[in-house]
Amino acid sequence: MWSFANPQRFLGLSRRLVPWLASATGLLFAAGLLDALVLSPPDYQQGESVRMMYVHVPASWMALFVYTLMAGASLVFLVWRHALADVAARAAAPLGAGFTAVSLATGSLWGKPMWGTFWVWDARLTSVLVLFFLYIGYIALRGAIEDETRAGRAGAVLALVGFVNVPIIKFSVDWWNTLHQPASVSRLDAPAIDASILTPLLLMAAAYMALFATLLLLRMETEIYARRVRAAAMREVAAAQARDETGEAAGAAARP
Amino acid sequence: MRALFLAIVQRDLLLAARLGAGAGLGVFFFAMTVTLLPFGLGPDLPLLSRIGPGMIWIAATLASLLALDRLFQADYEDGSLDQLAIAPLPLELVVLAKAIAHWIATAVPLILVSPLLALFLNVPASSMPMLVLSLLVGTPALNLLGAVGAALTVSLRRGGLLLAVLVLPLYVPVVIFGVNAVAAVEAGQGMLNPGLLLGMGMSLFALGIAPLAGAAALRLHLG
């Protein structure tokens, strides 16, 4: 597995995988959306607006999954110093923030017909909002540090500190919510989900996952190329400086 | 090693006292934030008394951000952080010593004036001991987690705002536990209620991870 930590081998693998993943994304979204929006039955309580769930719930799953992946990559980068792990963490962060934003936006659009308001301080919504802030902090920190290696290591430390805090934040927000709000919201907490609902949900989850994998690989490729271009530019500048210096030295020696 | 640790605490406290106005300004900011509340919410005493403990906690949280970006920055700029990094004391303990000194210099004054400000907000006297106690056990967590953020942003010239964005999400549980500890006393529970214990747990948890993460963050800026 470690052999793919070599950027060159990774690029080879990634180039072969991306077309397949992209087609899978397209097919899964087509099938998932068809099933979710047309074929599956409306909910007996929520009616047609239950279809929001098929867009919303997988996005929330991805929001958590991507943060976990980022923390894992950060740990690998801090412990083994694999540059590719840093590339992965950096490439994943905006995608995770995007999924979190989709989850928040669709959740609040779903909340309007269900709860009569765009936002309630429900435990789940609130902890996803805090997760979104954690993503923004990570992206902002990496953006603020110019040196790429430093930015990577600072980001890794922050991602890990954030990751160990996520369960505590989740717990505290749940606890806060039960103390302040009697359970006013209950949806989909029924133990059994009917297959007619579960199938499109899982299809959509697979579609989101394929989309994420495609975008992640593309972003990682771009990042590797960007770093190579930067390194090449640095080498050119250094070579030009060296030429200038030797030229000046030669000129000075030729003078009488 | 213990002497070195105490020497760092003492030095930072001395610097805080001699530089002047640091802690005093923090207290003033805290008081000013609390004073703004009735302007925003109206002088409705029952309302203020209901939200008072929460507002004190939020004001204390914001005030704790004030001087945080300078926690390691001054030492980073004049090079003394490099000296501390090669000193026989592990960098983890340097982080802890500086966080402790920072807590004494900035949080303790806030805790001392908090009953007075709670009085302005008409918080019942029976809640006061718990408010002070919850701040006492909760603010170390703010300080320690903040120290990680300060270490991450130490070399950034304008890191103050970024620091706030980094650490405020991590402050969420501390505020929740602190405010709930006071609410539990108001609801008739004892002093040793879950909110207080969880707040204490949060401080102990931060005590475990913050020196490690803070030192790792400082090393990457020094290296």
Side-chain angles (χ1 to χ4, degrees), chain A residues 47-118:
Chain A
E48 298 291 344
S49 47
V50 73
R51 302 189 192 284
M52 194 74 92
M53 178 190 74
Y54 304 115
V55 187
H56 169 73
V57 171
S60 316
W61 287 345
M62 291 308 293
L64 277 175
F65 171 76
V66 175
Y67 202 86
T68 313
L69 186 115
M70 240 171 67
S74 298
L75 185 69
V76 171
F77 178 59
L78 277 186
V79 176
W80 289 285
R81 299 284 159 87
H82 277 303
L84 199 62
D86 180 45
V87 170
R90 182 178 179 169
L95 298 176
F99 283 121
T100 317
V102 167
S103 163
L104 285 169
T106 54
S108 91
L109 287 176
W110 193 13
K112 188 63 184 170
M114 287 303 105
W115 311 323
T117 166
F118 282 114

Side-chain angles (χ1 to χ4, degrees), chain B residues 109-121:
Chain B
L110 294 190
I111 296 170
L112 290 178
V113 298
S114 64
L116 183 65
L117 293 174
L119 200 69
F120 283 8
L121 293 179

Side-chain angles (χ1 to χ4, degrees), chain A residues 130 133-134 136-138 140-141 144-145 150-151 153-155 157-158 161-162 164-165 168-169 171-173 175-176 179-180, chain B residues 76 145 148 152-153 155-156 162 165-166 169-170 172-173 176-177 180 194-195 198 202 205 209 213 216-217 219-221 223:
Chain A
V130 176
F133 291 146
L134 286 176
I136 297 300
Y138 178 87
L141 178 67
I145 302 178
R150 278 187 188 186
R153 289 168 66 186
V157 171
L158 181 68
V161 170
V164 294
N165 269 285
I168 302 178
I169 294 172
F171 163 75
S172 69
V173 171
W175 193 63
W176 161 78
L179 287 184
H180 281 265
Chain B
Y76 176 78
L145 292 171
V148 179
L152 281 170
T153 54
S155 69
L156 306 178
L162 177 62
V165 173
L166 295 187
L170 305 179
V172 167
I176 289 178
F177 296 144
N180 270 314
L198 286 167
M202 215 34 223
F205 168 74
I209 64 160
R219 277 197 197 98
L220 73 93
H221 285 289

Side-chain angles (χ1 to χ4, degrees), chain A residues 198-236:
Chain A
L198 194 60
T199 317
L201 185 62
L202 291 180
L203 270 176
M204 286 300 284
Y208 271 78
M209 189 58 104
L211 175 69
F212 170 68
T214 313
L215 292 178
L216 180 70
L217 288 182
L218 281 176
R219 285 184 57 87
M220 285 175 71
E221 282 181 29
T222 315
E223 175 73 19
I224 291 173
Y225 287 132
R227 286 186 184 189
R228 284 187 182 174
V229 168
R230 225 174 296 142
M234 297 289 270
R235 272 199 301 277
E236 227 160 75

